[in-house]
């Protein structure tokens, strides 16, 4: 039978009795055996913990009975031990009977129920949260008001374009715009070439408009 | 008691009476457009309109000599000279430059730093001096564009109010398209839809019996056509504009360039009609139209060959779904001057005895 690895047991104390492996060792005695043979040995664990046996892992290969060397000790039972150690098929694994685990399920179930309820309530809260950015519908108006308040009292140089508004000018009082004076100077007029023509009169239109406005209510609009 | 004169002064009273009869009514209309500025004033012979191209060109001072030889008038300003009006367009070609425009999209250009001063010069030359101090002057303003957020006419109106006032007049602002209603729809009881197809924008007004029901503008006009056509065929805006002014028949375009122009004209007309239908819905319940009304088409952009027929074709396809009953579609009697004349009509009202 091939094994996962080979180990060597070394007796570090005066004597070492590993009864569940059938070993009685004296100081300096070395026994080679398999890893699986010693894995369930409680006596070996006990001896190791008392420091009277050392375990050295050798290379992992199939241990054959012919390759095993007898340990150079004086124990009369070595051969028997070796033989029993070399033939792992002879060794019987320690069988531990499963211990039935008795768990009180009631507190666990109670905790699970409480956790489930908590998760459900958290989900409801998450669903209620807005999925996108919340934008005040009056944001544009508020920004325009804030900018206007901040810029009040400042003067603007000509060339600044007409005041853009985020909101319809119908909703706001007419704002004052800075228009510079002296755009037309007395010396500025030059004889610049223009195109002139004479067309028919507008007397008819003018008379008709005057007549139409007479019949219109006083608060009619001009153009 | 009437005095009578003899000798050299004989007939003076009669001459004075005749002069009184011939007194020219006061008042002037001023149409401020992206392409042209036009004034209209009553004279003995009728209505005299004065037009100047709304453009300018700045040149270094040493160009004076050349300009004198060419007999081009200019204005000296510090270390440069300004050529104004039509000459600016011509000289721009000579120098391989673009003429600058103080208005952009129908409104005072905020990016053109010299716009105010140039506008002052142009208007001063178009208006001339008032006949009497404080003579009434009605100047045009467009309606706020419905398709351009953030653009309004407050600054624009303020600038021209200041300029006209500093020229010695009493300034009044008036809607551009409504001015066409006053000059062109007297026979319809001043009811109709007026469309002013300008360079920078198109203005629209609807009125019934002189009452303005709807006024708005859209940010598309002649410049938009030039730009779109140029981009679509890999040409330049200047070339397309020149082609248009040279003459194009919208109903029978020849070649790729004219076809592109016709395409964008169609697009513009459809857009304007759709916007009218849309805007009319906002007043439909509040503004009654007792009978069909005419559409009056005006503006420099409407001077393209076959425009009225073209416009009518486009309209007929939309007539069934158009919310307003239209009696006819006709051009203004004088598309370039209709706005100025309508403003003059309003200015004359200021001096009526009512």
């Amino acid at each position: 039978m091939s094994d996962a690895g080979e180990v060597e047991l070394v007796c570090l104390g005066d004597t070492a009795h590993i009864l569940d492996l059938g070993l009685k060792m004296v100081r300096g005695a070395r026994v080679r055996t398999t890893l699986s043979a010693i894995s369930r040995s409680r006596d070996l664990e006990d001896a190791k913990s008392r420091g009277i046996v050392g375990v050295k892992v050798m290379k992992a290969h199939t241990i054959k009975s012919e390759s095993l060397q007898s340990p150079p000790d004086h124990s009369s039972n070595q051969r028997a031990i070796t033989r029993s150690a070399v033939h792992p098929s002879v060794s019987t694994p320690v069988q531990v009977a499963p211990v039935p685990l008795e768990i009180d399920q009631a507190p666990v179930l109670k905790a699970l129920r409480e956790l489930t309820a908590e998760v459900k309530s958290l989900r409801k809260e998450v669903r209620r949260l807005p999925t996108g950015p919340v934008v005040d519908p009056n944001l544009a108006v508020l920004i325009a008001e804030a900018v206007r308040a901040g810029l009040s009292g400042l003067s603007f140089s000509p060339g600044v374009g007409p005041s853009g508004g985020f909101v319809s000018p119908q909703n706001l009082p007419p704002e004052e715009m800075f228009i510079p004076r002296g755009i037309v100077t007395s010396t500025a007029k030059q004889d610049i070439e223009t195109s002139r023509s004479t067309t028919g009169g507008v007397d008819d239109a003018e008379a008709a408009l005057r007549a139409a406005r007479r019949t219109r209510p006083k608060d009619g609009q001009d153009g | 008691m009437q005095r009578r004169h003899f000798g050299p002064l004989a007939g003076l009273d009669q001459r004075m009476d005749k002069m009184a009869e011939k007194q020219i009514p006061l008042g002037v209309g001023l149409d401020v457009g992206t392409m042209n500025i036009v004034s209209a004033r009553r004279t003995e012979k009728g209505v005299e309109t004065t037009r100047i191209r709304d453009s300018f060109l700045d040149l270094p001072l040493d160009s004076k000599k050349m300009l004198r030889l060419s007999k081009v008038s200019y204005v000296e300003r510090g270390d440069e000279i300004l050529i104004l009006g039509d000459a600016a367009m011509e000289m721009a070609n000579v120098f391989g430059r673009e003429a600058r425009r103080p208005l952009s999209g129908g409104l005072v250009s905020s990016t053109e730093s010299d716009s105010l001063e140039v506008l002052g010069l142009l208007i001063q030359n178009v208006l001339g001096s008032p006949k009497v101090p404080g003579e009434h002057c009605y100047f045009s303003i467009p309606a706020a564009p419905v398709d351009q957020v953030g653009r309004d006419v407050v600054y624009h109106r303020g600038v021209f109010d200041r300029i006209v006032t500093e020229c010695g007049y009493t300034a009044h602002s008036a809607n551009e398209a409504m001015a066409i209603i006053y000059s062109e729809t007297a026979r319809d009881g001043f009811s109709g839809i007026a469309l002013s197809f300008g360079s920078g924008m198109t203005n629209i007004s609807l009125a019934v019996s002189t009452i303005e029901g709807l006024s708005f503008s859209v940010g598309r006009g002649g410049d938009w056509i030039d730009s779109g056509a140029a981009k679509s065929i890999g040409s330049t805006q200047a070339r397309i504009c020149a082609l248009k002014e040279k003459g194009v028949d919208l109903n029978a375009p020849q070649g790729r360039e004219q076809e592109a122009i016709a395409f964008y004209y169609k697009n513009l007309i459809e857009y304007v009609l759709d916007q009218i239908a849309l805007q009319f819905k906002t007043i439909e319940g509040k503004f009654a139209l007792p009978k069909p009304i005419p559409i009056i088409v005006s503006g420099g952009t409407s001077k393209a060959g076959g425009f009225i027929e073209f416009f009518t074709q486009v309209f007929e396809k939309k007539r069934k779904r158009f919310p307003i009953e239209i009696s006819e579609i006709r051009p203004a009697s004088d598309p370039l001057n209709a706005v100025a004349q309508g403003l003059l009509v309003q200015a004359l009202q200021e001096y009526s005895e009512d």
Side-chain angles (χ1 to χ4, degrees):
Chain A
M1 163 175 139
S2 64
D3 298 299
E6 186 182 9
V7 295
E8 185 180 74
L9 304 178
V10 179
C11 181
L12 302 172
D14 292 329
T15 59
H17 295 176
I18 317 296
L19 296 175
D20 54 14
L21 289 178
L23 292 174
K24 283 184 183 175
M25 300 165 74
V26 295
R27 186 182 290 278
R30 291 170 187 270
V31 173
R32 283 204 182 182
T33 179
T34 64
L35 199 59
S36 62
I38 67 164
S39 63
R40 294 183 196 93
S41 169
R42 286 188 187 182
D43 290 341
L44 178 61
E45 288 300 316
D46 180 58
K48 271 168 62 180
S49 65
R50 286 190 287 129
I52 57 175
V53 172
V55 178
K56 186 178 173 183
V57 178
M58 310 307 283
K59 59 181 177 181
H61 61 276
T62 303
I63 298 173
K64 296 182 181 174
S65 57
E66 308 82 58
S67 64
L68 258 186
Q69 294 175 4
S70 303
D73 58 13
H74 310 292
S75 169
S76 58
N77 293 329
Q78 275 306 313
R79 285 196 196 90
I81 294 168
T82 303
R83 267 203 301 277
S84 67
V86 170
H87 300 286
S89 57
V90 178
S91 64
T92 56
V94 175
Q95 293 199 3
V96 178
V99 176
L101 187 64
E102 291 179 9
I103 300 173
D104 184 4
Q105 295 186 9
V108 175
L109 287 171
K110 186 185 172 195
L112 270 175
R113 270 186 239 110
E114 284 170 7
L115 194 62
T116 305
E118 185 71 27
V119 168
K120 277 183 185 170
S121 70
L122 279 173
R123 275 185 184 159
K124 276 183 193 167
E125 275 192 48
V126 167
R127 275 192 211 109
R128 269 189 249 118
L129 290 173
T131 53
V134 178
V135 179
D136 188 333
N138 294 321
L139 183 62
V141 177
L142 295 171
I143 290 173
E145 295 276 2
V147 170
R148 199 168 288 113
L151 294 177
S152 62
L154 295 178
S155 64
F156 295 89
S157 58
V160 174
S163 67
F166 291 101
V167 295
S168 165
Q170 295 165 359
N171 299 334
L172 298 169
E175 57 178 281
E176 291 194 35
M177 296 285 301
F178 170 71
I179 311 288
R181 296 187 184 277
I183 300 173
V184 178
T185 60
S186 57
T187 56
K189 185 176 184 301
Q190 303 280 339
D191 284 327
I192 299 168
E193 191 180 336
T194 57
S195 170
R196 295 199 177 187
S197 62
T198 302
T199 59
V202 293
D203 293 345
D204 293 342
E206 195 259 329
L209 182 61
R210 204 179 323 127
R213 281 180 172 171
R214 268 196 225 114
T215 60
R216 208 176 71 184
K218 288 278 183 187
D219 59 350
Q221 293 178 20
D222 290 333
Chain B
M1 184 171 78
Q2 189 178 19
R3 287 189 296 173
R4 297 197 64 82
H5 296 90
F6 298 94
L9 297 177
L12 177 61
D13 293 313
Q14 286 177 343
R15 287 200 296 275
M16 285 174 68
D17 289 337
K18 278 184 183 171
M19 280 175 66
E21 284 172 11
K22 284 189 177 177
Q23 190 175 10
I24 308 299
L26 297 172
V28 62
L30 179 69
D31 174 21
V32 184
T34 306
M35 187 64 89
N36 292 291
I37 297 176
V38 182
S39 71
R41 184 187 279 287
R42 279 282 298 276
T43 63
E44 288 177 5
K45 298 174 188 172
V47 172
E48 183 182 81
T49 56
T50 305
R51 184 197 65 78
I52 193 169
R53 198 82 160 190
D54 199 355
S55 60
F56 68 103
L57 185 71
D58 56 294
L59 291 173
L61 214 53
D62 55 14
S63 308
K64 259 200 304 190
K65 198 173 177 181
M66 186 209 73
L67 293 174
R68 275 201 214 111
L69 288 170
S70 313
K71 295 182 185 172
V72 173
S73 51
Y74 57 86
V75 173
E76 268 192 61
R77 186 182 70 164
D79 58 352
E80 64 179 3
I81 54 178
L82 297 178
I83 305 175
L84 306 180
D86 296 64
M89 304 286 285
E90 292 158 14
M91 285 292 118
N93 285 331
V94 169
F95 287 93
R97 286 177 53 188
E98 292 270 347
R100 294 160 70 181
R101 293 213 243 168
L103 295 195
S104 171
L107 297 172
V108 176
S109 172
S110 58
T111 58
E112 184 49 80
S113 56
D114 296 322
S115 55
L116 293 190
E117 188 178 353
V118 168
L119 285 168
L121 288 166
L122 291 170
I123 288 171
Q124 208 178 10
N125 278 271
V126 165
L127 273 182
S129 301
K131 297 288 184 244
V132 298
E135 184 180 7
H136 290 282
C137 172
Y138 271 67
F139 66 92
S140 65
I141 53 166
V146 293
D147 55 357
Q148 293 179 330
V149 177
R151 289 195 100 196
D152 63 35
V153 300
V154 174
Y155 178 71
H156 180 93
R157 178 171 47 217
V159 164
F160 291 104
D161 190 285
R162 180 61 55 80
I163 291 175
V164 170
T165 302
E166 289 183 351
C167 286
Y169 292 83
T170 301
H172 306 268
S173 63
N175 180 270
E176 176 178 327
M178 275 303 293
I180 297 172
I181 294 285
Y182 293 128
S183 64
E184 298 289 330
T185 63
R187 69 187 202 220
D188 305 291
F190 297 102
S191 299
I193 297 175
L195 308 179
S196 178
F197 286 91
S199 285
M201 54 181 12
T202 298
N203 272 269
I204 301 102
S205 274
L206 181 151
V208 173
S209 302
T210 77
I211 297 176
E212 178 183 345
L214 186 64
S215 280
F216 66 96
S217 71
V218 295
R220 295 185 186 184
D223 290 346
W224 180 83
I225 292 173
D226 297 342
S227 172
K231 271 185 208 161
S232 65
I233 58 170
S235 183
T236 65
Q237 205 165 332
R239 180 170 163 75
I240 296 292
C241 185
L243 203 65
K244 251 175 31 185
E245 292 184 353
K246 193 177 166 187
V248 58
D249 185 351
L250 296 174
N251 299 294
Q254 305 293 321
R256 214 157 54 105
E257 284 165 330
Q258 291 194 9
E259 284 174 10
I261 291 171
F263 174 86
Y264 280 90
Y265 258 99
K266 179 168 177 276
N267 203 296
L268 172 63
I269 294 166
E270 285 174 341
Y271 183 73
V272 167
L273 290 171
D274 289 344
Q275 285 294 330
I276 293 172
L278 195 66
Q279 296 299 322
F280 184 73
K281 282 184 183 161
T282 63
I283 62 161
E284 203 165 8
K286 308 165 198 169
F287 202 78
L289 294 172
K291 55 183 182 177
I293 55 176
I295 291 179
I296 316 298
V297 171
S298 185
T301 299
S302 72
K303 289 190 70 183
F307 184 85
I308 284 296
E309 293 77 19
F310 194 75
F311 185 101
T312 306
Q313 276 177 33
V314 176
F315 175 76
E316 286 302 327
K317 289 178 186 168
K318 292 180 176 287
R319 184 189 276 273
K320 277 186 185 169
R321 280 172 297 173
F322 202 65
I324 306 164
E325 268 199 87
I326 301 299
S327 58
E328 64 167 330
I329 297 169
R330 66 174 191 258
S333 50
D334 188 351
L336 278 184
N337 299 318
V339 172
Q341 288 171 349
L343 294 163
L344 173 61
V345 167
Q346 296 173 75
L348 292 171
Q349 300 286 300
E350 295 290 334
Y351 296 95
S352 68
E353 290 172 1
D354 295 339

